[in-house]
Amino acid sequence: MNKFASLAALATVATMAVVPTAVFAETTQAVHEVTEEAAAPVELNAGMMLYASNGYRIAPIYRVNAEGNPQVILNGRLVTVPISTVSEVEGKVVTSLSKKEVARAK
């Protein structure tokens, strides 16, 4: 098993040496640019329901702060959800965070 692990590690290093990291950087930048163009700003209002990406309801939006981040009351706390995680999917306001991740946010 140790010989296999050594061969796998060597193959990985050899592959990474052959493929320049600039290709990875350019691909990541291109994907980011396309995503930014495709992502339209989401209209947020108090009272709209915030959903997790798996479809579960998180909480109604209590208010939207000055930076445009939705704020919800979850487990008795006012929690700010980063606007960068929010999108509109089929007419619903969806965050890419899970309910647990939102609960841990500040």
Side-chain angles (χ1 to χ4, degrees):
M1 188 68 164
N2 282 339
K3 287 184 181 182
F4 178 73
S6 299
L7 288 174
L10 182 60
T12 302
V13 171
T15 302
M16 294 307 287
V18 172
V19 178
T21 57
V23 171
F24 291 120
E26 288 175 10
T27 304
T28 303
Q29 184 179 6
V31 169
H32 181 69
E33 288 173 1
V34 170
T35 305
E36 287 296 318
E37 289 176 9
V42 180
E43 292 273 337
L44 299 176
N45 295 312
M48 296 175 85
M49 184 58 66
L50 180 66
Y51 292 87
S53 59
N54 60 6
Y56 290 114
R57 292 188 310 176
I58 293 177
I61 296 173
Y62 177 69
R63 67 181 177 198
V64 180
N65 67 11
E67 291 83 30
N69 298 315
Q71 295 180 317
V72 297
I73 296 178
L74 194 60
N75 301 329
R77 290 186 325 120
L78 182 65
V79 180
T80 302
V81 180
I83 190 66
S84 61
T85 68
V86 176
S87 61
E88 187 175 339
V89 178
E90 298 177 6
K92 295 180 179 179
V93 179
V94 179
T95 179
S96 59
L97 303 174
S98 68
K99 189 170 184 175
K100 279 185 176 181
E101 291 170 326
V102 170
R104 283 188 242 137
K106 294 183 180 189

